[in-house]
Amino acid sequence: MGWEEKQVRGYPEFVQTAQHYHGRPIFALFCGDKDAEGKSWCPDCVTAEPVVRKELHNMPDESVFIYCLVGDRAYWKDPNNEFRKNLKLTGVPTLLKYGTPQKLVEEECFKVELVRMLFTED
Amino acid sequence: VQAHKEGSLRKQREMNGHTAVPHSYDYDLIVIGGGSGGLAAAKEAAKYEKKVMVLDFVTPTPLGNSWGLGGTCVNVGCIPKKLMHQAALLGQALQDSRKFGWQFPEEVKHNWMTMTESVQNYIGSLNWGYRVALREKKVTYENAYGEFVGPHTVKATNKRGVEKLYTAERFLIATGERPRYLGIPGDKEYCISSDDLFSLPYCPGKTLVVGASYVALECAGFLAGIGLDVTIMVRSILLRGFDQDIANKIGEYMEEHGINFIREFVPIKVEQIKEGTPGILKVTSKSTKGNEIIEGEYNTVLLAIGRDACTRKIGLDKVGVIINEKTGKIPVNDKEQTNVPYIYAIGDILQDKLELTPVAIQAGRLLVRRLYAGATTKCDYVNVPTTVFTPLEYGACGYSEEAAVEKFGEENIEVYHSHFWPLEWTVPSRDNNKCYAKIICNIQDSERVIGFHVLGPNAGEVTQGFAAAMKCGITKEQLDSTIGIHPVCAEV
């Protein structure tokens, strides 16, 4: 079947989507919001996104890739935002395998080898 | 280039009909075993730009349990043990807290699944962390079972049975140990070991712990601490090799706090009365002193009677590495080298060395620095501090009283000791004569402290500093002249 992508914005939409696909492998990339020209306020996210996208074909069959915009910079900096509180995210970009402790944070997301390992690790 | 080299080497071997010794190797160092020692050594070697491979594979337990990269300590040893010990301590703290004014409803219950899931989640993050660390340091990792097949050559078999051959200039064996079984009917089918306990997907219920090792006592301790009915079956003495005076105090404390002890019996048969998670098991045991037979029913039987080195099925005979046939341990020189010059070994598999994570890590790092960075420092196995995380914790460094008497003679040692009552225990009326500390001094050497033992809360934290002092050769006089911190246990 291959894999499919879902694009969401904000925490409630993310949770709803993740729950909808319960039972399938779910990978999520969290990035800062993009402006009208499609550029994110988070420079590391700009670097990471193409690297991650190039490796998506390595995800197992039936996987769901959730591309999630977390919010604007002010929201993200708030130490009590829902992503920090509930998903324990510490930085953007974060690439994780939902429901497992497996994740890559910030510069780790630039590294092809690590991204590939996350997608293919048993 | 790599594939071509491997391919041509293999062809050469096939053609010659025997395993030829390759002269240009795939790796500088292959580490067999991705535990505390193996990973520390691999990461250190990568620092010196060496080409390193780690082979780690967990043979599933008889009940089918397995785990990720990191070895015993991380997955089924120190880490989950300490976390569950903490869970038990917190239970005790909850009870004490009422006397300090905290008010909450009468009954407080413990949920095994909640605890286990949190612990396993943390372990999972450690497994993942090691994967990332190895990748970032460019250490090649394969989840495959490594065994020697000829000089400088190992075969790695993954869980799908796919075999690959690799060669290296040097090898490091760090395969560790696995729990021993009793060899009685029903042991592998129905009993669990520490390899299964920390990820058990159901509460163990009424548990029989067989053994008197620190593993047995620590596990029995926290199981009782979270409210389970626990019995320990001991063949002879508690904590063999540890100071027996302290071992007995630990046993007494556990007994007074609700753990049943059955002494001088060994199980001879385990049968399943009822299936389930947990089910009901019937254990038949025989006295070591006569013909008395007893029977008991438990939900879970946990075997903690010892651990065996994983050295018998890794092809050591094919490369001529000598092992102690009886124990399976590998004798090494003070540079951790086996009888085969290019093969080294560290960790729990070593003969006559302490089986502790920090020892393996230190030995691994120093070995690698000697091999690749021109260092000369050897691992110092003397005065290594340890702690047993029984309900009443025990920290020790140096000689036990028995060992000191044996080595120096009773007339040449002086033992100073004291009971103490932690201030925190006074208000909730906890035992006032159980905590205990003693130091053993060598009279002939300015009363140098050669043994330190403390029984009480946070024993590990207390012991660490004293271990450093002992390494510097602290004497009784110096200890006396060190003013204590008040009010803490360590001031005694």
Side-chain angles (χ1 to χ4, degrees):
Chain A
M1 198 210 125
W3 54 273
E4 61 184 283
E5 174 169 346
K6 289 287 161 211
Q7 300 203 346
V8 303
R9 191 176 174 278
Y11 184 75
E13 219 189 312
F14 171 78
V15 172
Q16 201 178 37
T17 310
Q19 282 172 352
H20 179 79
Y21 288 103
H22 178 73
R24 289 166 62 173
I26 300 172
F27 296 91
L29 178 63
F30 298 91
C31 293
D33 276 2
K34 290 178 166 169
D35 62 21
E37 276 107 49
K39 190 146 171 256
S40 175
W41 54 259
C42 161
D44 285 350
C45 301
V46 174
T47 314
E49 194 179 330
V51 176
V52 172
R53 286 194 174 284
K54 262 223 192 106
E55 293 298 315
L56 290 177
H57 65 275
N58 283 315
M59 291 190 302
D61 276 345
E62 307 273 314
S63 293
V64 177
F65 173 66
I66 304 180
Y67 179 76
C68 177
L69 294 178
V70 300
D72 61 24
R73 186 186 234 124
Y75 168 81
W76 180 252
K77 292 293 180 199
D78 172 12
N80 289 322
N81 76 53
E82 293 141 308
F83 289 102
R84 289 189 196 268
K85 260 184 32 192
N86 304 333
L87 281 177
K88 311 277 186 278
L89 295 197
T90 53
V92 279
T94 290
L95 176 67
L96 55 75
K97 185 170 182 180
Y98 191 67
T100 76
Q102 293 172 11
K103 67 177 180 179
L104 297 173
V105 180
E106 292 158 1
E107 312 87 54
E108 291 176 342
C109 301
F110 305 165
K111 302 182 183 168
V112 173
E113 294 270 291
L114 295 183
V115 174
R116 196 173 293 169
M117 190 169 81
L118 182 76
F119 287 151
T120 57
E121 161 70 341
D122 235 331
Chain B
V1 170
Q2 186 72 347
H4 175 78
K5 206 163 43 158
E6 273 176 53
S8 66
L9 280 171
R10 229 162 279 157
K11 240 178 120 193
Q12 183 195 335
R13 277 178 221 127
E14 285 161 34
M15 274 165 35
N16 293 348
H18 66 273
T19 316
V21 178
H23 292 289
S24 146
Y25 304 110
D26 298 329
Y27 291 91
D28 293 310
L29 179 68
I30 290 182
V31 179
I32 309 181
S36 304
L39 290 181
K43 287 193 263 187
E44 188 74 20
K47 267 194 209 165
Y48 303 110
E49 322 257 293
K50 294 297 159 187
K51 195 153 176 248
V52 188
M53 162 177 265
V54 170
L55 294 173
D56 185 67
F57 190 83
V58 179
T59 305
T61 70
L63 296 173
N65 201 22
S66 180
W67 48 88
L69 181 63
T72 294
C73 176
V74 163
N75 292 286
V76 288
C78 335
I79 303 289
K81 175 265 298 281
K82 184 94 192 292
L83 289 172
M84 294 198 177
H85 170 69
Q86 177 67 358
L89 289 179
L90 288 170
Q92 176 71 67
L94 276 172
Q95 297 309 324
D96 289 354
S97 73
R98 290 185 209 267
K99 289 276 177 65
F100 282 96
W102 289 99
Q103 297 175 321
F104 46 92
E106 272 314 299
E107 218 209 321
V108 181
K109 293 197 297 209
H110 181 265
N111 184 310
W112 173 267
M113 290 311 304
T114 306
M115 175 181 71
T116 313
E117 276 169 23
S118 310
V119 169
Q120 287 302 315
N121 204 49
Y122 176 62
I123 293 175
S125 72
L126 292 178
N127 298 141
W128 176 250
Y130 287 125
R131 298 289 317 274
V132 171
L134 289 187
R135 259 290 153 81
E136 295 215 283
K137 295 181 192 331
K138 313 241 184 301
V139 172
T140 308
Y141 157 65
E142 283 214 9
N143 184 207
Y145 188 94
E147 52 191 311
F148 288 96
V149 290
H152 291 272
T153 313
V154 288
K155 173 174 78 172
T157 309
N158 72 11
K159 63 180 177 219
R160 286 179 200 88
V162 176
E163 295 176 0
K164 291 192 207 166
L165 290 179
Y166 298 105
T167 62
E169 191 188 351
R170 292 188 176 101
F171 291 83
L172 177 59
I173 308 172
T175 49
E177 303 178 304
R178 294 297 290 273
R180 191 178 300 152
Y181 280 77
L182 283 165
I184 60 170
D187 65 353
K188 291 200 172 151
E189 299 92 304
Y190 307 121
C191 300
I192 65 168
S193 73
S194 57
D195 279 357
D196 306 294
L197 180 64
F198 302 108
S199 56
L200 206 60
Y202 52 84
C203 182
K206 180 176 172 196
T207 304
L208 173 69
V209 177
V210 182
S213 55
Y214 74 82
V215 174
L217 298 187
E218 287 175 343
C219 290
F222 72 71
L223 289 175
I226 58 172
L228 303 180
D229 175 344
V230 177
T231 303
I232 306 183
M233 186 174 287
V234 175
R235 187 188 57 182
S236 63
I237 61 170
L238 298 178
L239 295 175
R240 187 179 300 276
F242 286 84
D243 186 291
Q244 283 301 293
D245 167 38
I246 308 260
N248 289 325
K249 290 190 197 300
I250 292 176
E252 267 169 37
Y253 182 88
M254 288 172 74
E255 209 157 5
E256 280 165 23
H257 288 261
I259 295 175
N260 310 304
F261 277 81
I262 298 179
R263 293 194 188 246
E264 295 178 333
F265 273 83
V266 288
I268 54 173
K269 187 168 56 170
V270 177
E271 297 160 285
Q272 188 179 63
I273 306 286
K274 189 162 155 250
E275 246 186 275
T277 51
I280 302 183
L281 301 172
K282 183 166 99 168
V283 181
T284 309
S285 313
K286 184 161 180 291
S287 165
T288 58
K289 297 233 129 90
N291 288 320
E292 195 193 336
I293 304 271
I294 56 171
E295 288 178 354
E297 283 186 12
Y298 305 91
N299 294 124
T300 298
V301 177
L302 171 67
L303 299 182
I305 55 171
R307 294 173 64 78
D308 291 320
C310 298
T311 51
R312 305 206 191 257
K313 295 193 197 159
I314 55 174
L316 292 181
D317 51 315
K318 304 231 171 41
V319 281
V321 171
I322 292 175
I323 66 171
N324 177 317
E325 280 306 324
K326 184 161 163 265
T327 63
K329 300 270 183 113
I330 304 184
V332 292
N333 62 18
D334 62 0
K335 302 193 191 66
E336 285 84 31
Q337 200 177 27
T338 66
N339 61 303
V340 177
Y342 66 90
I343 301 181
Y344 298 81
I346 51 170
D348 289 359
I349 53 172
L350 295 192
Q351 182 162 279
D352 300 327
K353 299 282 196 286
L354 290 158
E355 295 176 21
L356 296 167
T357 286
V359 172
I361 293 176
Q362 179 82 323
R365 286 197 187 131
L366 292 180
L367 167 65
V368 165
R369 282 180 211 159
R370 289 196 306 270
L371 290 179
Y372 302 123
T376 51
T377 320
K378 295 185 231 176
C379 190
D380 183 1
Y381 292 96
V382 171
N383 285 342
V384 175
T386 87
T387 297
V388 181
F389 294 95
T390 31
L392 191 56
E393 295 179 9
Y394 167 38
C397 185
Y399 288 91
S400 66
E401 203 171 324
E402 302 87 42
V405 163
E406 206 194 310
K407 173 116 193 209
F408 299 97
E410 197 170 343
E411 62 287 359
N412 292 319
I413 62 163
E414 191 70 58
V415 178
Y416 297 91
H417 67 145
S418 168
H419 279 99
F420 60 93
W421 199 21
L423 185 60
E424 295 85 349
W425 287 22
T426 56
V427 165
S429 309
R430 287 176 64 185
D431 303 292
N432 66 353
N433 66 343
K434 288 292 185 269
C435 296
Y436 181 74
K438 77 177 171 187
I439 55 166
I440 303 168
C441 303
N442 184 349
I443 302 177
Q444 294 177 317
D445 181 22
S446 318
E447 276 207 307
R448 200 160 312 275
V449 178
I450 56 169
F452 170 87
H453 304 264
V454 67
L455 191 59
N458 305 118
E461 308 294 356
V462 173
T463 307
Q464 186 71 85
F466 283 97
M470 283 172 69
K471 221 173 180 74
C472 298
I474 196 166
T475 61
K476 174 70 165 57
E477 201 189 324
Q478 288 170 316
L479 206 53
D480 286 344
S481 68
T482 308
I483 300 183
I485 304 173
H486 182 78
V488 296
C489 297
E491 66 179 305
V492 78

